[in-house]
Protein backbone atom coordinates (compact mmCIF):
# COMPACT_ATOMS: atom_id res chain seq x y z
CA UNK A 1 0.00 0.00 0.00
CA UNK A 2 2.76 2.44 0.91
CA UNK A 3 4.61 1.76 -2.34
CA UNK A 4 1.42 2.32 -4.32
CA UNK A 5 0.92 5.66 -2.58
CA UNK A 6 4.54 6.80 -3.01
CA UNK A 7 4.65 5.89 -6.69
CA UNK A 8 1.21 7.20 -7.58
CA UNK A 9 1.64 9.97 -10.15
CA UNK A 10 0.41 13.49 -9.46
CA UNK A 11 0.70 16.82 -11.27
CA UNK A 12 4.30 18.05 -11.23
CA UNK A 13 3.67 21.81 -11.09
CA UNK A 14 4.88 22.03 -7.47
CA UNK A 15 8.29 20.58 -8.30
CA UNK A 16 8.72 22.51 -11.55
CA UNK A 17 7.94 25.88 -9.98
CA UNK A 18 10.09 25.04 -6.96
CA UNK A 19 13.01 24.26 -9.30
CA UNK A 20 12.71 27.72 -10.84
CA UNK A 21 12.65 29.46 -7.45
CA UNK A 22 15.39 27.20 -6.11
CA UNK A 23 17.71 27.89 -9.05
CA UNK A 24 17.17 31.62 -8.70
CA UNK A 25 17.93 31.50 -4.96
CA UNK A 26 21.07 29.43 -5.59
CA UNK A 27 22.20 32.09 -8.04
CA UNK A 28 21.45 34.94 -5.63
CA UNK A 29 23.19 33.19 -2.73
CA UNK A 30 26.31 32.59 -4.81
CA UNK A 31 26.70 36.00 -6.44
CA UNK A 32 25.50 37.71 -3.27
CA UNK A 33 28.32 36.11 -1.31
CA UNK A 34 30.79 37.71 -3.72
CA UNK A 35 29.03 41.10 -3.92
CA UNK A 36 28.69 41.53 -0.14
CA UNK A 37 32.32 40.64 0.49
CA UNK A 38 31.45 37.42 2.34
CA UNK A 39 33.72 35.34 0.12
CA UNK A 40 36.54 37.84 0.65
CA UNK A 41 36.20 37.89 4.44
CA UNK A 42 35.66 34.17 4.97
CA UNK A 43 37.47 32.34 2.16
CA UNK A 44 40.07 34.70 0.67
CA UNK A 45 41.55 36.86 3.43
CA UNK A 46 42.11 34.16 6.12
CA UNK A 47 45.47 32.40 6.05
CA UNK A 48 43.62 29.11 6.48
CA UNK A 49 40.09 28.05 7.33
CA UNK A 50 38.64 25.85 10.03
CA UNK A 51 37.20 23.02 7.97
CA UNK A 52 35.07 20.21 9.28
CA UNK A 53 37.58 17.83 10.84
CA UNK A 54 38.72 15.34 8.21
CA UNK A 55 38.23 17.81 5.35
CA UNK A 56 41.38 19.86 5.84
CA UNK A 57 42.36 19.12 2.24
CA UNK A 58 39.63 21.55 1.14
CA UNK A 59 41.99 24.38 2.12
CA UNK A 60 43.60 23.91 -1.31
CA UNK A 61 40.66 25.86 -2.79
CA UNK A 62 41.07 28.81 -0.45
CA UNK A 63 42.19 32.13 -1.90
CA UNK A 64 41.23 34.34 -4.87
CA UNK A 65 40.10 31.26 -6.79
CA UNK A 66 37.02 31.19 -4.56
CA UNK A 67 35.59 34.06 -6.59
CA UNK A 68 35.53 31.80 -9.65
CA UNK A 69 34.27 28.92 -7.48
CA UNK A 70 31.25 30.97 -6.37
CA UNK A 71 30.73 32.34 -9.87
CA UNK A 72 30.46 28.78 -11.17
CA UNK A 73 27.86 28.05 -8.50
CA UNK A 74 25.94 31.10 -9.65
CA UNK A 75 26.09 29.83 -13.23
CA UNK A 76 24.82 26.42 -12.12
CA UNK A 77 21.98 28.23 -10.31
CA UNK A 78 20.90 29.91 -13.54
CA UNK A 79 21.05 26.58 -15.39
CA UNK A 80 18.91 24.94 -12.67
CA UNK A 81 16.36 27.74 -12.91
CA UNK A 82 16.17 27.41 -16.72
CA UNK A 83 16.23 23.63 -16.60
CA UNK A 84 19.31 23.45 -18.83
CA UNK A 85 21.45 20.31 -18.49
CA UNK A 86 19.57 20.03 -15.22
CA UNK A 87 21.05 16.82 -13.82
CA UNK A 88 24.63 17.96 -14.40
CA UNK A 89 23.93 21.50 -13.23
CA UNK A 90 22.19 20.30 -10.08
CA UNK A 91 24.96 17.80 -9.37
CA UNK A 92 27.61 20.46 -9.97
CA UNK A 93 25.96 22.92 -7.60
CA UNK A 94 25.39 20.24 -4.94
CA UNK A 95 29.06 19.21 -4.99
CA UNK A 96 30.40 22.76 -4.96
CA UNK A 97 28.01 23.86 -2.21
CA UNK A 98 28.95 20.83 -0.10
CA UNK A 99 32.58 21.86 -0.55
CA UNK A 100 31.78 25.40 0.65
CA UNK A 101 29.91 24.04 3.63
CA UNK A 102 32.68 21.68 4.71
CA UNK A 103 35.62 24.02 4.10
CA UNK A 104 34.85 26.56 6.82
CA UNK A 105 33.07 26.69 10.19
CA UNK A 106 33.65 30.31 11.21
CA UNK A 107 30.37 31.27 9.54
CA UNK A 108 28.51 28.06 10.33
CA UNK A 109 24.81 28.26 9.63
CA UNK A 110 22.12 25.58 9.81
CA UNK A 111 20.59 27.05 6.68
CA UNK A 112 23.76 26.28 4.74
CA UNK A 113 23.39 22.69 5.90
CA UNK A 114 19.76 22.59 4.74
CA UNK A 115 20.75 23.95 1.34
CA UNK A 116 23.35 21.20 1.04
CA UNK A 117 20.76 18.52 1.82
CA UNK A 118 18.11 19.93 -0.52
CA UNK A 119 20.66 20.28 -3.32
CA UNK A 120 21.55 16.61 -2.96
CA UNK A 121 17.87 15.59 -2.97
CA UNK A 122 17.16 17.69 -6.06
CA UNK A 123 19.73 15.70 -8.05
CA UNK A 124 17.41 12.70 -7.90
CA UNK A 125 14.18 14.50 -8.83
CA UNK A 126 12.64 14.93 -12.31
CA UNK A 127 12.40 18.68 -11.86
CA UNK A 128 13.28 19.46 -15.48
CA UNK A 129 10.45 17.53 -17.12
CA UNK A 130 8.44 20.65 -17.84
CA UNK A 131 9.04 24.42 -18.30
CA UNK A 132 12.68 23.73 -19.06
CA UNK A 133 15.19 23.98 -21.89
CA UNK A 134 15.84 20.27 -21.46
CA UNK A 135 12.17 19.41 -22.12
CA UNK A 136 12.09 21.75 -25.10
CA UNK A 137 15.19 20.18 -26.63
CA UNK A 138 14.06 16.65 -25.84
CA UNK A 139 10.24 16.32 -26.19
CA UNK A 140 10.40 12.72 -24.91
CA UNK A 141 11.37 14.13 -21.52
CA UNK A 142 8.36 16.42 -21.29
CA UNK A 143 5.57 15.43 -18.89
CA UNK A 144 3.21 17.15 -16.47
CA UNK A 145 3.33 14.32 -13.89
CA UNK A 146 5.68 13.04 -11.18
CA UNK A 147 5.56 10.31 -8.52
CA UNK A 148 4.11 11.46 -5.21
CA UNK A 149 7.31 10.72 -3.27
CA UNK A 150 8.93 13.72 -4.97
CA UNK A 151 6.62 15.94 -2.94
CA UNK A 152 6.80 13.90 0.25
CA UNK A 153 10.57 14.11 0.68
CA UNK A 154 10.38 17.88 1.10
CA UNK A 155 7.50 17.72 3.57
CA UNK A 156 9.26 15.12 5.69
CA UNK A 157 12.55 17.03 5.57
CA UNK A 158 10.83 20.23 6.72
CA UNK A 159 8.98 18.37 9.45
CA UNK A 160 12.29 17.09 10.83
CA UNK A 161 13.92 20.53 10.65
CA UNK A 162 11.10 22.44 12.31
CA UNK A 163 10.32 19.79 14.94
CA UNK A 164 13.89 19.56 16.19
CA UNK A 165 14.18 23.36 16.10
CA UNK A 166 11.12 23.62 18.33
CA UNK A 167 12.19 20.90 20.80
CA UNK A 168 15.68 22.42 21.15
CA UNK A 169 14.12 25.64 22.47
CA UNK A 170 12.82 23.92 25.60
CA UNK A 171 15.67 24.94 27.89
CA UNK A 172 15.80 27.56 30.68
CA UNK A 173 17.58 30.43 28.91
CA UNK A 174 15.07 30.31 26.09
CA UNK A 175 11.95 29.80 28.19
CA UNK A 176 12.72 32.70 30.54
CA UNK A 177 13.39 34.95 27.48
CA UNK A 178 16.94 35.77 28.69
CA UNK A 179 18.56 34.54 25.48
CA UNK A 180 16.15 36.43 23.22
CA UNK A 181 16.71 39.57 25.30
CA UNK A 182 20.46 39.18 24.86
CA UNK A 183 20.02 38.58 21.13
CA UNK A 184 17.81 41.64 20.67
CA UNK A 185 20.31 43.90 22.45
CA UNK A 186 22.53 43.44 19.43
CA UNK A 187 19.71 44.79 17.23
CA UNK A 188 19.09 47.99 19.22
CA UNK A 189 20.72 50.13 16.51
CA UNK A 190 18.23 49.01 13.83
CA UNK A 191 16.35 51.90 12.25
CA UNK A 192 12.66 52.14 13.26
CA UNK A 193 12.45 48.72 14.96
CA UNK A 194 15.51 48.82 17.24
CA UNK A 195 13.64 50.22 20.27
CA UNK A 196 10.67 47.94 19.68
CA UNK A 197 12.92 44.88 19.80
CA UNK A 198 14.00 45.81 23.34
CA UNK A 199 10.45 45.57 24.73
CA UNK A 200 9.87 42.68 27.15
CA UNK A 201 6.53 41.74 25.60
CA UNK A 202 8.28 41.40 22.24
CA UNK A 203 10.76 38.99 23.83
CA UNK A 204 7.89 36.82 25.08
CA UNK A 205 6.23 36.86 21.65
CA UNK A 206 9.48 35.85 19.96
CA UNK A 207 10.29 33.21 22.57
CA UNK A 208 7.00 31.36 22.64
CA UNK A 209 6.00 32.28 19.12
CA UNK A 210 9.21 30.63 17.93
CA UNK A 211 8.41 27.41 19.77
CA UNK A 212 4.83 27.33 18.50
CA UNK A 213 5.72 28.25 14.92
CA UNK A 214 8.44 25.62 14.60
CA UNK A 215 6.38 22.95 16.29
CA UNK A 216 3.07 23.53 14.50
CA UNK A 217 3.77 25.04 11.08
CA UNK A 218 4.06 21.75 9.16
CA UNK A 219 0.87 20.19 10.65
CA UNK A 220 -1.02 23.45 10.07
CA UNK A 221 0.12 23.58 6.45
CA UNK A 222 -0.89 19.96 5.91
CA UNK A 223 -4.38 20.59 7.33
CA UNK A 224 -6.43 22.25 4.59
CA UNK A 225 -8.67 24.47 6.82
CA UNK A 226 -5.60 26.11 8.44
CA UNK A 227 -3.28 26.09 5.42
CA UNK A 228 -4.00 29.59 4.16
CA UNK A 229 -3.63 31.21 7.58
CA UNK A 230 -0.47 29.24 8.32
CA UNK A 231 1.01 30.46 5.06
CA UNK A 232 0.14 34.10 5.84
CA UNK A 233 1.73 33.78 9.29
CA UNK A 234 4.78 32.18 7.67
CA UNK A 235 5.25 35.15 5.36
CA UNK A 236 5.38 37.48 8.36
CA UNK A 237 7.64 35.12 10.32
CA UNK A 238 10.18 34.69 7.54
CA UNK A 239 10.20 38.35 6.51
CA UNK A 240 10.86 39.27 10.15
CA UNK A 241 13.79 36.83 10.22
CA UNK A 242 15.11 38.20 6.94
CA UNK A 243 15.04 41.81 8.17
CA UNK A 244 16.21 41.28 11.74
CA UNK A 245 18.66 38.40 11.42
CA UNK A 246 19.79 38.93 7.81
CA UNK A 247 20.17 35.22 7.07
CA UNK A 248 20.43 35.36 3.30
CA UNK A 249 18.12 33.32 1.11
CA UNK A 250 16.74 30.98 3.78
CA UNK A 251 13.47 32.83 4.57
CA UNK A 252 12.63 32.85 0.87
CA UNK A 253 13.70 29.24 0.39
CA UNK A 254 11.42 28.30 3.29
CA UNK A 255 8.51 30.05 1.60
CA UNK A 256 9.30 28.25 -1.67
CA UNK A 257 9.06 24.91 0.17
CA UNK A 258 5.43 25.70 0.96
CA UNK A 259 4.55 25.01 -2.67
CA UNK A 260 4.54 21.31 -1.72
CA UNK A 261 1.81 21.82 0.88
CA UNK A 262 -0.75 23.33 -1.46
CA UNK A 263 -2.84 21.24 -3.83
CA UNK A 264 -1.14 20.72 -7.22
CA UNK A 265 -4.25 22.13 -8.92
CA UNK A 266 -3.93 25.32 -6.88
CA UNK A 267 -0.25 25.70 -7.77
CA UNK A 268 -0.90 25.09 -11.46
CA UNK A 269 -3.83 27.52 -11.51
CA UNK A 270 -1.58 30.27 -10.12
CA UNK A 271 1.65 29.69 -12.02
CA UNK A 272 0.81 27.52 -15.05
CA UNK A 273 -2.85 28.18 -15.72
CA UNK A 274 -2.55 27.69 -19.51
CA UNK A 275 -1.02 24.23 -19.22
CA UNK A 276 -3.05 21.01 -18.81
CA UNK A 277 -3.48 19.60 -15.33
CA UNK A 278 -2.56 15.94 -14.72
CA UNK A 279 -5.14 13.92 -12.80
CA UNK A 280 -4.92 10.38 -14.18
CA UNK A 281 -3.42 9.07 -10.92
CA UNK A 282 -1.43 6.25 -12.54
CA UNK A 283 0.83 4.06 -10.43
CA UNK A 284 4.18 3.39 -12.08
CA UNK A 285 7.05 1.57 -10.45
CA UNK A 286 10.48 2.62 -11.74
CA UNK A 287 13.17 0.11 -12.59
CA UNK A 288 15.17 1.01 -9.49
CA UNK A 289 12.19 1.35 -7.13
CA UNK A 290 13.73 -0.67 -4.30
CA UNK A 291 16.99 1.26 -4.54
CA UNK A 292 15.11 4.56 -4.22
CA UNK A 293 13.14 3.32 -1.21
CA UNK A 294 16.25 2.02 0.55
CA UNK A 295 18.28 5.15 -0.23
CA UNK A 296 15.71 7.59 1.10
CA UNK A 297 14.87 5.36 4.07
CA UNK A 298 18.51 5.39 5.14
CA UNK A 299 18.74 9.12 4.50
CA UNK A 300 15.76 9.95 6.72
CA UNK A 301 16.85 7.56 9.46
CA UNK A 302 20.13 9.46 9.58
CA UNK A 303 18.28 12.78 9.60
CA UNK A 304 16.19 11.63 12.57
CA UNK A 305 19.18 10.20 14.45
CA UNK A 306 21.78 12.96 14.02
CA UNK A 307 20.00 15.64 16.08
CA UNK A 308 19.74 13.18 19.00
CA UNK A 309 23.43 12.41 19.30
CA UNK A 310 24.25 15.20 21.75
CA UNK A 311 22.29 13.25 24.40
CA UNK A 312 25.00 10.58 24.27
CA UNK A 313 27.79 13.02 25.11
CA UNK A 314 28.68 14.02 28.64
CA UNK A 315 27.64 17.48 29.84
CA UNK A 316 25.51 20.21 28.25
CA UNK A 317 25.72 20.68 24.47
CA UNK A 318 25.44 24.46 24.97
CA UNK A 319 28.79 24.26 26.77
CA UNK A 320 30.69 21.49 24.98
CA UNK A 321 29.25 22.00 21.45
CA UNK A 322 29.48 18.22 21.04
CA UNK A 323 26.58 17.20 18.82
CA UNK A 324 25.56 20.80 18.13
CA UNK A 325 26.08 20.89 14.38
CA UNK A 326 23.80 19.06 11.93
CA UNK A 327 21.08 19.10 14.61
CA UNK A 328 18.84 22.07 13.76
CA UNK A 329 19.85 23.83 16.97
CA UNK A 330 19.21 27.29 15.53
CA UNK A 331 20.00 30.55 17.36
CA UNK A 332 20.03 28.99 20.82
CA UNK A 333 23.10 30.44 22.52
CA UNK A 334 25.52 33.33 22.56
CA UNK A 335 29.07 32.56 23.70
CA UNK A 336 31.97 34.82 24.52
CA UNK A 337 35.46 33.63 25.26
CA UNK A 338 38.85 34.79 26.48
CA UNK A 339 41.54 32.40 25.34
CA UNK A 340 45.34 32.32 25.54
CA UNK A 341 47.37 29.83 23.48
CA UNK A 342 50.81 29.00 24.84
CA UNK A 343 53.33 27.08 22.75
CA UNK A 344 56.08 25.23 24.63
CA UNK A 345 59.21 23.99 22.85
CA UNK A 346 59.70 20.42 24.08
CA UNK A 347 63.49 20.65 23.83
CA UNK A 348 64.33 24.16 25.06
CA UNK A 349 61.19 24.54 27.25
CA UNK A 350 60.78 28.03 25.80
CA UNK A 351 57.24 29.33 26.26
CA UNK A 352 55.66 31.51 23.58
CA UNK A 353 52.33 33.32 24.03
CA UNK A 354 50.59 33.29 20.65
CA UNK A 355 49.34 36.55 19.18
CA UNK A 356 46.17 35.28 17.51
CA UNK A 357 46.14 38.27 15.17
CA UNK A 358 49.17 36.73 13.45
CA UNK A 359 47.12 33.68 12.45
CA UNK A 360 43.39 34.39 12.59
CA UNK A 361 40.80 36.92 11.51
CA UNK A 362 38.62 38.45 14.23
CA UNK A 363 35.75 36.15 13.31
CA UNK A 364 37.99 33.09 13.45
CA UNK A 365 39.24 34.18 16.85
CA UNK A 366 35.70 34.05 18.22
CA UNK A 367 35.46 30.40 17.22
CA UNK A 368 38.95 29.66 18.52
CA UNK A 369 37.85 31.03 21.88
CA UNK A 370 34.52 29.26 22.35
CA UNK A 371 34.30 26.07 20.26
CA UNK A 372 36.33 23.02 21.38
CA UNK A 373 36.78 21.51 17.93
CA UNK A 374 38.07 24.83 16.59
CA UNK A 375 40.39 25.16 19.60
CA UNK A 376 41.73 21.69 18.87
CA UNK A 377 42.22 22.50 15.18
CA UNK A 378 44.06 25.74 15.92
CA UNK A 379 46.35 23.85 18.29
CA UNK A 380 47.09 21.39 15.46
CA UNK A 381 47.78 24.28 13.11
CA UNK A 382 50.21 25.84 15.59
CA UNK A 383 51.98 22.50 16.01
CA UNK A 384 52.35 22.16 12.22
CA UNK A 385 53.51 25.75 11.85
CA UNK A 386 56.26 25.37 14.46
CA UNK A 387 57.24 21.97 13.09
CA UNK A 388 57.91 23.64 9.73
CA UNK A 389 60.43 25.81 11.62
CA UNK A 390 62.13 22.75 13.12
CA UNK A 391 60.47 22.89 16.53
CA UNK A 392 58.59 20.11 18.26
CA UNK A 393 56.03 21.83 20.49
CA UNK A 394 53.19 21.35 22.91
CA UNK A 395 50.20 23.69 22.91
CA UNK A 396 48.35 24.62 26.10
CA UNK A 397 45.14 26.61 26.23
CA UNK A 398 43.83 28.85 29.00
CA UNK A 399 40.23 29.64 28.26
CA UNK A 400 37.23 31.18 29.99
CA UNK A 401 33.80 31.18 28.40
CA UNK A 402 30.47 32.86 29.08
CA UNK A 403 27.25 31.29 27.77
CA UNK A 404 24.20 33.52 27.30
CA UNK A 405 25.65 36.37 29.35
CA UNK A 406 26.39 34.25 32.42
CA UNK A 407 29.67 34.68 34.39
CA UNK A 408 32.85 33.47 32.70
CA UNK A 409 33.93 29.96 33.66
CA UNK A 410 37.11 27.97 33.01
CA UNK A 411 36.54 26.09 29.77
CA UNK A 412 39.67 24.12 28.79
CA UNK A 413 42.02 22.09 31.00
CA UNK A 414 45.18 24.21 30.83
CA UNK A 415 47.36 21.23 31.83
CA UNK A 416 46.50 19.24 28.69
CA UNK A 417 48.68 19.47 25.58
CA UNK A 418 45.87 19.96 23.08
CA UNK A 419 48.17 19.72 20.05
CA UNK A 420 49.18 16.18 20.94
CA UNK A 421 45.74 14.98 22.01
CA UNK A 422 43.87 12.93 19.41
CA UNK A 423 40.43 14.02 18.24
CA UNK A 424 37.75 11.43 19.03
CA UNK A 425 34.49 12.48 17.34
CA UNK A 426 32.35 9.82 19.02
CA UNK A 427 33.66 10.42 22.51
CA UNK A 428 33.48 13.32 24.98
CA UNK A 429 36.70 15.35 25.06
CA UNK A 430 37.87 15.12 28.65
CA UNK A 431 39.95 18.30 28.31
CA UNK A 432 36.72 20.30 28.18
CA UNK A 433 36.10 21.25 31.82
CA UNK A 434 32.63 20.57 33.29
CA UNK A 435 30.00 23.23 32.82
CA UNK A 436 29.06 23.09 36.48
CA UNK A 437 31.21 22.86 39.56
CA UNK A 438 31.20 19.49 41.27
Amino acid sequence: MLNNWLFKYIDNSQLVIFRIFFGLLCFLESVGAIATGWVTRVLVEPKFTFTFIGFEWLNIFQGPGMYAYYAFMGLFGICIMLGYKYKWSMFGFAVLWAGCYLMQKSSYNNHYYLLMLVSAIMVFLPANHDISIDAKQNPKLKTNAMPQWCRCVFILQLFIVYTYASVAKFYPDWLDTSFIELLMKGKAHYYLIGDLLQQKWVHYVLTYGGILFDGLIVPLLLFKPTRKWAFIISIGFHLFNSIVFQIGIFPYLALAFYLFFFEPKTVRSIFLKRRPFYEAGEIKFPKFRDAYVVLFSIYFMIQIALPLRHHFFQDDVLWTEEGHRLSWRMMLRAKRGSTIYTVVDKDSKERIIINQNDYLTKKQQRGAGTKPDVIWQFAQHLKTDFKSKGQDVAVYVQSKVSVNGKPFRDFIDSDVDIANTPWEPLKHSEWILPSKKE
Side-chain angles (χ1 to χ4, degrees):
M1 288 293 293
L2 179 61
N3 275 346
N4 287 350
W5 186 77
L6 290 173
F7 292 98
K8 178 182 178 181
Y9 272 63
I10 61 174
D11 187 88
N12 67 358
S13 53
Q14 297 161 308
L15 181 60
V16 169
I17 298 303
F18 178 79
R19 186 208 78 226
I20 295 170
F21 282 126
F22 184 73
L24 176 61
L25 291 172
C26 290
F27 167 76
L28 293 174
E29 178 70 25
S30 302
V31 299
I34 298 174
T36 60
W38 187 92
V39 173
T40 302
R41 294 189 302 273
V42 177
L43 296 169
V44 177
E45 290 179 346
K47 296 178 180 179
F48 75 104
T49 60
F50 291 109
T51 68
F52 276 67
I53 294 174
F55 291 89
E56 291 79 9
W57 56 273
L58 287 171
N59 269 309
I60 62 174
F61 294 106
Q62 186 197 357
M66 289 306 300
Y67 296 122
Y69 188 106
Y70 266 75
F72 269 112
M73 286 202 301
L75 179 60
F76 282 137
I78 291 293
C79 291
I80 293 165
M81 181 177 69
L82 298 176
Y84 178 67
K85 304 292 184 185
Y86 170 76
K87 290 293 184 182
W88 287 108
S89 299
M90 194 65 255
F91 178 77
F93 181 86
V95 169
L96 291 181
W97 184 261
C100 296
Y101 178 78
L102 296 170
M103 73 172 61
Q104 68 83 29
K105 292 183 292 193
S106 298
S107 293
Y108 178 83
N109 191 317
N110 276 286
H111 309 145
Y112 298 161
Y113 173 45
L114 180 61
L115 183 55
M116 181 177 72
L117 296 179
V118 174
S119 297
I121 290 172
M122 287 288 285
V123 172
F124 296 91
L125 303 184
N128 62 329
H129 286 194
D130 200 5
I131 319 298
S132 69
I133 294 176
D134 288 347
K136 188 172 183 179
Q137 292 180 340
N138 181 9
K140 292 182 179 179
L141 193 67
K142 185 176 175 60
T143 178
N144 62 347
M146 67 178 183
Q148 190 152 236
W149 67 262
C150 295
R151 170 180 177 251
C152 296
V153 291
F154 291 107
I155 294 174
L156 182 53
Q157 180 67 72
L158 280 190
F159 180 71
I160 291 170
V161 171
Y162 281 120
T163 300
Y164 276 118
S166 179
V167 170
K169 292 178 174 65
F170 283 89
Y171 83 100
D173 289 355
W174 185 277
L175 296 176
D176 67 9
T177 76
S178 59
F179 171 69
I180 286 292
E181 182 176 350
L182 185 66
L183 193 63
M184 290 303 109
K185 283 181 179 178
K187 316 297 181 185
H189 64 283
Y190 279 19
Y191 182 65
L192 294 179
I193 62 171
D195 290 338
L196 176 64
L197 295 176
Q198 309 314 307
Q199 301 298 312
K200 195 64 182 178
W201 68 268
V202 173
H203 302 160
Y204 275 101
V205 170
L206 296 178
T207 293
Y208 290 94
I211 291 174
L212 291 172
F213 181 88
D214 290 342
L216 296 176
I217 190 60
V218 170
L220 290 176
L221 285 168
L222 286 172
F223 188 48
K224 189 173 181 179
T226 57
R227 184 175 297 148
K228 180 176 68 174
W229 295 109
F231 180 63
I232 291 171
I233 292 170
S234 294
I235 293 174
F237 177 85
H238 289 299
L239 288 180
F240 175 86
N241 284 343
S242 180
I243 294 168
V244 174
F245 299 114
Q246 299 175 6
I247 48 179
I249 67 167
F250 176 72
Y252 309 99
L253 178 60
L255 291 173
F257 280 129
Y258 295 163
L259 285 164
F260 296 103
F261 291 90
F262 286 90
E263 297 296 331
K265 184 171 286 188
T266 302
V267 175
R268 187 166 288 273
S269 67
I270 294 172
F271 294 99
L272 304 171
K273 58 180 63 178
R274 293 186 179 181
R275 292 182 175 261
F277 177 73
Y278 174 87
E279 50 188 339
E282 298 172 283
I283 296 174
K284 300 178 185 178
F285 294 115
K287 184 177 181 181
F288 301 105
R289 177 191 65 178
D290 292 342
Y292 269 72
V293 172
V294 170
L295 177 65
F296 280 103
S297 296
I298 292 172
Y299 169 81
F300 282 113
M301 284 191 287
I302 292 172
Q303 281 295 299
I304 292 169
L306 275 179
L308 299 173
R309 72 191 190 283
H310 71 88
H311 293 291
F312 297 92
F313 286 101
Q314 182 179 323
D315 214 332
D316 187 350
V317 62
L318 293 170
W319 178 258
T320 68
E321 301 279 325
E322 293 170 326
H324 172 79
R325 296 189 186 93
L326 317 183
S327 299
W328 313 118
R329 300 180 57 80
M330 295 180 257
M331 290 190 293
L332 291 175
R333 82 280 188 260
K335 299 178 80 171
R336 292 184 296 147
S338 174
T339 306
I340 298 172
Y341 289 82
T342 303
V343 171
V344 179
D345 188 301
K346 291 183 179 180
D347 296 323
S348 68
K349 306 304 179 185
E350 178 188 9
R351 300 176 67 86
I352 303 170
I353 305 297
I354 295 299
N355 182 351
Q356 295 184 42
N357 291 323
D358 294 338
Y359 292 89
L360 307 174
T361 65
K362 293 299 182 184
K363 190 161 193 174
Q364 287 179 318
Q365 289 179 39
R366 289 195 287 272
T370 59
K371 296 178 172 59
D373 59 328
V374 176
I375 290 171
W376 181 86
Q377 283 180 290
F378 187 41
Q380 305 307 305
H381 181 76
L382 290 171
K383 177 183 176 181
T384 301
D385 182 55
F386 277 85
K387 187 175 182 180
S388 69
K389 302 171 186 175
Q391 293 177 270
D392 185 18
V393 301
V395 179
Y396 298 95
V397 180
Q398 294 172 283
S399 178
K400 290 181 179 292
V401 164
S402 166
V403 180
N404 293 346
K406 292 181 172 60
F408 281 86
R409 297 275 320 277
D410 290 330
F411 188 44
I412 301 297
D413 189 340
S414 58
D415 294 326
V416 175
D417 174 10
I418 304 297
N420 293 287
T421 299
W423 180 258
E424 298 179 278
L426 302 179
K427 184 179 177 183
H428 172 64
S429 298
E430 297 293 340
W431 41 270
I432 305 173
L433 295 175
S435 61
K436 298 178 182 178
K437 294 181 179 179
E438 300 295 335

